Structure formats: C-alpha cells, structure tokens
Amino acid sequence: MNKKKISLTLAFVSSVIISGCASIQPTNLANLGNEHYREKIAKSKTTQEIKEYAISNNIKFIPIHILSNANTNSFVINGVAQNLITLEGNKWLASIMDELVQIELATVRSNSAITNAYTLTYCGDYTHMSMGENGSSGKMEFSYYLSNFSDEQRNNFLVPRTFSDCAVSGFLGDVFYKNKIEVSSSPSNAKISVTQIDKSKPITGLDNVSLVLKDMASQAMTAMLTDAEMLRVLINRR
C-alpha cells in the first residue's frame, strides 16, 4: 500500500464520519480522562506481545475507524430526543474511539509507503445504541477487523457510502480476524475520571451522555488492544 493510497483510505473514512452524529461534548466537564484504561492496557501482556511481534516482524498497522450513526434520535435529554447527526458530534465520537488506539499503536502504526501492513478497522454501532434518558445508562456494540487489501478491494472500499450497522467486513478486503463485543456503562460505574469546570453547577444530562459514551468506547478499544485471540491469529498467519 503506497502513501497516496493510505491517505485516500483515511480521507474516505473521514467522509463516512461526516455523514454521522451530533454535538455531544460535555457542558460542565473540563476533562474526561481514561487513565484507568491506559493503565490496564499498559499492564497487558497481550498488548506488549502484539507490539513486540509487529516490530520484530516489520509489521505495521493501518488503524481506521468507522461510525454507524443512522439513528437520528439516539438519546433523550429532559424528555427531548436529541439528534446525533452533526459534524462536531462525529469528530468527537471519532476522537474517543481513536485516542487509546493512536497512543498504543504509535510505534507500529503505518504512516508511509510500506507493503507489510495490516488494516485494523474498528466500528462503533451508534445506530443501535441504547442510551437511557439523561445518560442514566448506555449499551452498544463495537466490531473490529484485521484485513489485507488488494488494489481492487481498496478501490471498492473507497466508494463513498454510509453504514447503518458494523457489518462492514465485505468492504475491508481479505478479513482474517474479526470480533464483536457488547459494552455497557452508567455514570455510577464508569471508569472515566471527570473534572468539573464549575463545581457549583450540577453535572448535566449531556455530561452524563458524554461520560457514558467515552467509557463505552474506552472499554471497547481496551478489549481490542488486549485481545489474546487476535494475537494468536496474527502469529499463526505468518
């Protein structure tokens, strides 16, 4: 995969995101920290072995995120259905899915022309997400895939399209590993740290939605990056 083709692939994914979700950034939270999940990944033997194996075998990963956001009424704040379809919302959802992946795979991420690269695609099914009113709880599915692209398969992938779920393996070339996980969260059990902007003001329903969304994304990305079966498949493929 050459540099030009990699940039085209990432540009297409950006176009998928633009078709998706709304302004979900918190209103009274200065920071939503995922230190708990970073520590869990750092302690994972599987994560370290994935990176060590990739480095020793000159393997690179091309991480790509996909958002499925067909549902226009994905959460309710104070009895009012909120529309998740805006560019700002998509960027925020993409950022909470990318953060842990970009940090952990920084040393084995492909940024240039290289032939020995695998595409790691991860998709959040926000279309079918269940979110309690005012962010009281949340449940959703994430899927992720390891694949190779031929030139023809990559051209098919680059055709602009939107997704209403995460059944995207037919567009990802030769998929040799895939997994689907369900995650859930609530403000009371989320492992995300929060810092209030104004402690005299209450945490809002939108703040809770943001907290639950980031916790679910962090859970899913941690599961992907610590997936022992994915490591086994990767090693056996050589």
Side-chain angles (χ1 to χ4, degrees), residues 17-18 21-22 25 65 67 86-98:
I17 296 168
I18 290 172
C21 286
Q25 290 92 331
H65 63 258
L67 307 178
T86 69
L87 178 58
E88 281 187 0
N90 275 327
K91 287 182 176 179
W92 189 80
L93 288 176
S95 72
I96 64 174
M97 288 177 62
D98 278 347

Side-chain angles (χ1 to χ4, degrees), residues 9-216:
T9 300
L10 297 179
F12 167 70
V13 173
S14 295
S15 72
V16 172
I17 296 168
I18 290 172
S19 66
C21 286
S23 198
I24 320 163
Q25 290 92 331
T27 58
N28 191 34
L29 298 181
N31 182 56
L32 291 171
N34 54 12
E35 299 87 359
H36 169 84
Y37 295 102
R38 291 188 186 186
E39 291 177 7
K40 186 172 183 178
I41 293 170
K43 294 177 180 178
S44 169
K45 181 180 178 182
T46 297
T47 306
Q48 301 312 312
E49 288 181 351
I50 288 174
K51 291 189 286 188
E52 290 170 3
Y53 182 80
I55 291 171
S56 63
N57 288 277
N58 193 30
I59 293 171
K60 295 289 185 178
F61 296 103
I62 303 170
I64 296 176
H65 63 258
I66 295 177
L67 307 178
S68 168
N69 298 325
N71 192 341
T72 58
N73 297 312
S74 293
F75 63 92
V76 176
I77 300 292
N78 298 326
V80 180
Q82 304 294 314
N83 191 327
L84 272 182
I85 301 181
T86 69
L87 178 58
E88 281 187 0
N90 275 327
K91 287 182 176 179
W92 189 80
L93 288 176
S95 72
I96 64 174
M97 288 177 62
D98 278 347
E99 186 176 2
L100 291 172
V101 177
Q102 298 301 331
I103 291 172
E104 291 305 320
L105 297 185
T107 57
V108 291
R109 183 177 184 273
S110 176
N111 291 305
S112 59
I114 119 171
T115 57
N116 199 19
Y118 294 137
T119 301
L120 174 60
T121 305
Y122 41 103
C123 177
D125 189 1
Y126 296 97
T127 299
H128 302 103
M129 174 186 70
S130 172
M131 181 67 70
E133 185 166 357
N134 296 321
S136 59
S137 63
K139 181 183 294 186
M140 64 179 293
E141 290 183 343
F142 287 82
S143 300
Y144 52 97
Y145 311 82
L146 274 176
S147 65
N148 283 323
F149 277 111
S150 66
D151 288 343
E152 181 179 354
Q153 290 167 331
R154 190 179 304 107
N155 290 335
N156 180 51
F157 175 72
L158 291 172
V159 175
R161 58 175 60 88
T162 58
F163 299 103
S164 60
D165 58 34
C166 287
V168 298
S169 59
F171 304 100
L172 301 178
D174 295 324
V175 176
F176 59 90
Y177 183 73
K178 60 182 178 180
N179 196 15
K180 178 189 292 185
I181 58 175
E182 183 178 85
V183 295
S184 61
S185 183
S186 69
S188 62
N189 65 21
K191 300 299 189 293
I192 298 296
S193 62
V194 299
T195 304
Q196 287 182 251
I197 297 173
D198 187 344
K199 293 184 178 180
S200 67
K201 294 182 179 179
I203 300 296
T204 67
L206 184 58
D207 293 330
N208 283 333
V209 169
S210 303
L211 172 63
V212 168
L213 284 171
K214 182 155 187 178
D215 191 63
M216 291 192 297

